[in-house]
Amino acid sequence: MTEPVLQVAVPVPIRRRFDYLPPRPGWTPPLRPGVRVRVPFGRTSTIGVVVGIASTSAVDAPRLKRVCDVIDAEPLLDPATLKLLTWASDYFQHPIGEVVAGTLPKLLRLGRAPKSERRMRYAASPAGARVFAEGIAGAPVQARLLGLMLDKGGISEAALAAEHRGWRRPLRALIAKGWAEPVQDSPCRARRFDRPILNAEQQRAVDAVEARLEAFSPYVLEGVTSSGKTEVYLRVIEEVVARGRQALVLIPEIGLTPQLLARFQARLSCRVEALHSGLSDGERLSAWTHARNGTADVLVGTRSAVFAPLARPGLFIVDEEHDLSFKQQDGFRYSARDLAVVRARDAGAPIVLGSATPSLEAIDNVRRGRYHHLVLPRRAGGASPPRIDVVDLRSRPFDNGLCDVLIEALEEVTARSEQALLFINRRGYAPRLLCHACGWVADCGRCDAHLVLHHADGRLRCHHCGAERALIAECPECGSGDVRRLGLGTERVAGALESRIEGLRVARMDRDATRRRGALEAVLDRVHAGDVDVVVGTQMLAKGHHFPNVTLVAILDADGGLFGIDFRATERMAQLLLQVAGRAGRGDRPGRVLLQTHHPNHPLLRTLVLDGYRKFCEDTLDERRRARLPPFASFALVRAEALQRDAPQSFLRDAGACASARSHPRVSVLGPAPSPMERRAGRYRAQLLVDAASRVALQRFLPGWIAELEALPSARKVRWSVDVDPQEMV
Ligand code: ADP
Ligand code: ZN
Ligand code: ZN
């Protein structure tokens, strides 16, 4: 009798599966794809996942090794998840072993068993309900928590935690008095009186999705900021969960998570789990396990949550689908948004891609009739759209990024006790330190980049490689003391504001100011509590925050994105402008947006401001069609880097020659060329663009070609990677 051959995904950067035999001859326990095995590899052993079982192997029988042991009795990964991982590995051209390992929670990678922490729910007892009705004096937190339990007929520990940081003590007090008690999980049911009545467009969107819950149906939900998209998600989720299915909600990387999650947990009384990078390893494992065994009804997560197994998938949602954070930019370069669509298709379930500024890919799919279009054209709850004023900076008083119009507007806003957001796409104090006497500039020694000045810490930092040195007062070249700080960063603008407007309370929101765990939440809390008048921030500000009291948004430098080298630069800038602008006037007061520019007549700005995002997209798509750029072509970018300047280009030249030799009619290669920033962290970088007429053509071309690249002698002198559907061309 021949033994089965186990095809194992081993976590190494090699594009193939590895064949092994069962632990012993005559092994009888079931061996199915999806179980983890410990395998001998090189001189050590490692943990892999069985992704296939075959009857033969290309490796000669005597050379086949046996797995050391089988870790799981039951498959850890179900067939649908394995299929997704295999598909992702093939499509994005990344080694299957790294794909599988990279998408498992760390503790599973280390061989631990799936683990579900017991989670409790608490409800008010009849005595508690009576006392609450009579009014509880002197214990406001207890009263509030009890009120929540009554509203929702039970509340989870996670929802309690979202409601009140120190929830355990008041909960213990409630239980000790017999006013609250632990209960069984209850089915999904929203607090009725908290649900707004949907407006006609929202209702139409909900009806459209709910009409086809049992089949793959993709939707683009295009709704201006604050139009009630989240409300639409919530209704559809309730329906799907009521039918006994699970919903997966993907959200962008930062900023959104605390608020959006709290909102989902507060509104849905079913079992909502979060899966994002802020969790401990144990929390991640627990959330993953609950998704897999079906004890979670809703999984809300960032990018990598797209790989979490679901016991009963019934709905997929990608919120802010245009967001760049859905594309992983290093290692396994996958698009979580596109994989969510693949998953929905495999599961025969609807997928809703929501955004105020849908990606051009999504709009193109709508135009081709592949995706249904749902539109929410006005703000929910009656808020009016913000007014956008283009401020022509030319020959206006202008100091540290602040022009006179902006200063006046800020004074008005703070006089009314409202708040403002100032957006500038650079952190630090100033992006350049220049000697006025000799022209010396503080550059990074390891990158083709200037060092950025961080005033408060007295440091010069490279934002690309992290190198830093002390801030200097004298030029190291000529000794002059006339060393000038050029350009603007958040730190400089925040400082300038404080000295321009007496008593102004300014907060900063950028990666420096929010690095510590909990720091972002602290800033958000201060803004919500009204302890801040103005927030100065980077694109972090654009991420879906809901600040009802913000009535002014200023974009300090709208010109940054107008002249980018990347063909997507204008799309990104338009999205960013509208997303930032969307933060203004979300409450009951109208908002205003000030757009500072030295190019008020730039056609893109004019289209965007006068005709709106839709017209901008139509124009840009027409341009892309003429230029045969994505989505009218399909790209892959091969990047290479090395310590020697010539090595990357010489490898890519060989790669280009291989491509030409394959003479694929619908595929061409461009380059190689040095990367826009050629040297980074001491390494020289270059890239080669693969330009295919379609996705199909690209996918036919890549596997054979990449196998050839792996065998090239020049490949050994560089680090190289493939990026399929690259979102950034650098
Ligand atoms: P989006 O996700 O599009 O930014 P939200 O769903 O967050 O919009 O809605 C914005 C605000 O309007 C929220 O405070 C929400 O509670 C409220 N809202 C949503 N739909 C309605 C509605 N139909 N009636 C009244 N208020 C609504
Ligand atoms: Zn000098
Ligand atoms: Zn550097």
Side-chain angles (χ1 to χ4, degrees):
M1 192 193 79
T2 59
E3 292 190 82
V5 174
L6 309 181
Q7 301 174 328
V8 180
V10 179
V12 290
I14 302 174
R15 285 182 175 78
R16 45 172 282 227
R17 304 159 171 206
F18 293 86
D19 290 350
Y20 289 91
L21 293 173
R24 287 183 296 282
W27 178 263
T28 49
L31 279 167
R32 279 179 287 162
V35 299
R36 284 172 299 171
V37 287
R38 179 174 287 283
V39 298
F41 199 86
R43 292 208 198 137
T44 61
S45 73
T46 181
I47 292 174
V49 173
V50 176
V51 291
I53 295 181
S55 51
T56 59
S57 170
V59 180
D60 293 338
R63 290 182 49 226
L64 270 182
K65 292 195 177 133
R66 296 188 174 278
V67 303
C68 315
D69 58 79
V70 178
I71 295 173
D72 303 299
E74 288 293 310
L76 182 71
L77 299 174
D78 59 285
T81 306
L82 281 177
K83 186 175 169 203
L84 178 77
L85 294 170
T86 311
W87 192 94
S89 159
D90 291 343
Y91 184 88
F92 294 105
Q93 306 293 329
H94 198 76
I96 181 74
E98 289 194 343
V99 167
V100 172
T103 56
L104 283 179
K106 182 170 163 208
L107 295 176
L108 293 176
R109 231 155 44 223
L110 297 176
R112 294 275 195 89
K115 180 158 172 267
S116 153
E117 271 154 27
R118 208 161 74 95
R119 295 172 316 156
M120 300 301 295
R121 294 177 65 81
Y122 300 92
S125 66
R130 231 176 9 254
V131 178
F132 184 78
E134 288 158 11
I136 300 174
V141 178
Q142 289 179 35
R144 187 151 56 89
L145 296 186
L146 197 58
L148 275 176
M149 292 176 196
L150 282 164
D151 290 347
K152 305 182 75 176
I155 180 169
S156 68
E157 294 192 341
L160 280 167
E163 185 61 33
H164 185 79
R165 216 167 290 226
W167 56 279
R168 286 182 194 276
R169 184 198 288 263
L171 178 71
R172 270 202 300 276
L174 286 170
I175 293 175
K177 292 178 200 159
W179 295 351
E181 56 203 8
V183 290
Q184 296 286 318
D185 269 327
S186 63
C188 194
R189 189 165 44 78
R191 293 150 80 185
R192 293 280 155 185
F193 66 87
D194 246 18
R195 301 165 67 183
I197 297 167
L198 297 183
N199 63 37
E201 291 90 7
Q202 285 174 312
Q203 191 64 54
R204 212 173 303 137
V206 169
D207 290 346
V209 181
E210 289 185 356
R212 274 169 63 83
L213 286 181
E214 305 301 325
F216 171 56
S217 25
Y219 301 88
V220 174
L221 177 61
E222 179 174 4
V224 297
T225 328
S226 247
S227 59
K229 294 184 292 297
T230 311
E231 205 53 50
V232 170
Y233 305 151
L234 288 166
R235 295 303 166 94
V236 182
I237 291 171
E238 281 172 18
E239 178 61 30
V240 164
V241 173
R243 294 181 183 210
R245 311 283 286 277
Q246 291 170 293
L248 173 67
V249 183
L250 296 181
I251 58 177
E253 197 68 75
I254 42 164
L256 276 176
T257 324
Q259 278 185 321
L260 192 71
L261 199 62
R263 188 163 163 204
F264 274 79
Q265 277 164 341
R267 270 291 303 280
L268 298 166
S269 60
C270 54
R271 296 158 301 189
V272 180
E273 285 281 352
L275 194 56
H276 55 84
S277 56
L279 301 180
S280 69
D281 290 339
E283 289 168 329
R284 287 183 76 81
L285 178 58
S286 183
W288 188 94
T289 306
H290 287 136
R292 170 179 171 268
N293 65 18
T295 41
D297 297 308
V298 182
L299 183 67
V300 182
T302 46
R303 184 169 66 217
S304 64
V306 76
F307 296 107
L310 294 171
R312 305 167 272 113
L315 172 69
F316 297 85
I317 290 171
V318 183
D319 188 33
E320 310 290 355
E321 65 82 32
H322 67 279
D323 197 279
L324 204 52
S325 75
F326 289 121
K327 177 82 196 252
Q328 175 137 315
Q329 307 281 12
D330 55 17
F332 172 29
R333 294 171 162 82
Y334 64 94
S335 158
R337 176 197 60 199
D338 294 354
L339 284 174
V341 176
V342 170
R343 242 190 126 163
R345 195 186 60 204
D346 286 350
I351 176 161
V352 181
L353 305 174
S355 177
T357 51
S359 60
L360 289 179
E361 280 85 356
I363 302 229
D364 182 54
N365 276 318
V366 166
R367 295 215 302 191
R368 289 170 196 254
R370 288 190 195 140
Y371 291 4
H372 311 279
H373 201 189
L374 307 170
V375 183
L376 306 180
R378 48 195 173 106
R379 290 188 158 192
S384 48
R387 193 177 88 214
I388 301 187
D389 291 334
V390 175
V391 183
D392 183 355
L393 285 180
R394 291 172 301 181
S395 44
R396 226 175 225 304
F398 183 58
D399 177 35
N400 280 324
L402 311 165
C403 74
D404 52 341
V405 179
L406 174 57
I407 294 288
E408 267 169 41
L410 280 172
E411 280 167 343
E412 285 169 22
V413 161
T414 46
R416 292 196 304 262
S417 304
E418 295 167 0
Q419 295 168 306
L421 304 181
L422 265 51
F423 172 81
I424 174 141
N425 208 0
R426 197 178 285 110
R427 64 196 165 88
Y429 185 90
R432 204 140 66 98
L433 191 68
L434 168 88
C435 171
H436 191 56
C438 77
W440 170 86
V441 175
D443 282 329
C444 176
R446 311 168 65 217
C447 306
D448 293 330
H450 303 310
L451 293 174
V452 178
L453 195 145
H454 289 253
H455 181 73
D457 329 337
R459 309 293 287 173
L460 291 166
R461 281 201 190 103
C462 175
H463 284 189
H464 302 284
C465 72
E468 54 177 274
R469 54 198 263 197
L471 183 54
I472 41 174
E474 280 167 15
C475 173
E477 289 289 315
C478 72
S480 160
D482 191 1
V483 179
R484 301 201 178 173
R485 305 162 167 206
L486 302 185
L488 290 175
T490 46
E491 192 189 351
R492 183 173 207 163
V493 172
L497 273 175
E498 276 166 350
S499 48
R500 261 312 264 286
I501 303 180
E502 178 83 27
L504 193 72
R505 296 165 304 171
V506 182
R508 245 172 59 207
M509 202 159 118
D510 57 29
R511 252 199 297 148
D512 298 319
T514 58
R515 210 177 294 274
R516 273 182 308 108
R517 194 175 168 151
L520 174 64
E521 288 82 350
V523 177
L524 294 174
D525 283 350
R526 280 171 63 209
V527 179
H528 284 292
D531 296 340
V532 165
D533 301 310
V534 182
V535 189
V536 179
T538 56
Q539 63 257 50
M540 249 186 205
L541 282 181
K543 306 274 177 175
H545 306 289
H546 184 66
F547 300 130
N549 201 33
V550 166
T551 55
L552 175 71
V553 167
I555 291 151
L556 299 189
D557 177 20
D559 300 340
L562 290 174
F563 308 100
I565 37 168
D566 195 318
F567 73 90
R568 285 196 180 83
T570 52
E571 176 188 357
R572 299 264 174 247
M573 195 207 60
Q575 289 165 347
L576 191 65
L577 285 189
L578 296 183
Q579 292 287 341
V580 179
R583 306 301 126 210
R586 286 163 61 99
D588 44 10
R589 275 150 296 183
R592 182 178 179 202
V593 178
L594 294 180
L595 229 158
Q596 298 192 147
T597 174
H598 284 98
H599 304 271
N601 295 318
H602 192 288
L604 164 70
L605 270 189
R606 292 187 63 86
T607 308
L608 206 55
V609 172
L610 299 177
D611 307 318
Y613 187 66
R614 184 71 63 78
K615 178 75 167 69
F616 162 81
C617 290
E618 305 270 316
D619 289 1
T620 312
L621 276 173
D622 288 344
E623 238 176 77
R624 295 234 191 128
R625 180 186 296 105
R626 279 194 297 276
R628 303 227 55 83
L629 289 166
F632 304 97
S634 220
F635 284 176
L637 198 60
V638 180
R639 301 183 179 88
E641 59 174 49
L643 290 170
Q644 299 78 31
R645 179 171 225 143
D646 299 334
Q649 296 218 36
S650 113
F651 161 68
L652 292 174
R653 260 194 306 278
D654 292 349
C658 294
S660 309
R662 302 181 81 82
S663 69
H664 205 291
R666 291 158 60 77
V667 175
S668 55
V669 294
L670 283 107
S675 301
M677 183 191 298
E678 185 178 10
R679 204 163 52 105
R680 182 172 172 156
R683 294 173 162 269
Y684 291 91
R685 310 182 312 146
Q687 55 194 37
L688 181 74
L689 182 70
V690 181
D691 176 358
S694 69
R695 279 193 170 187
V696 176
L698 184 67
Q699 289 296 325
R700 283 217 186 101
F701 170 76
L702 288 178
W705 180 58
I706 286 171
E708 264 186 274
L709 303 198
E710 286 185 317
L712 285 174
S714 53
R716 269 178 246 129
K717 303 204 174 90
V718 299
R719 273 198 221 151
W720 63 280
S721 63
V722 196
D723 190 353
V724 176
D725 303 336
Q727 292 298 303
E728 289 181 312
M729 305 302 281
V730 292

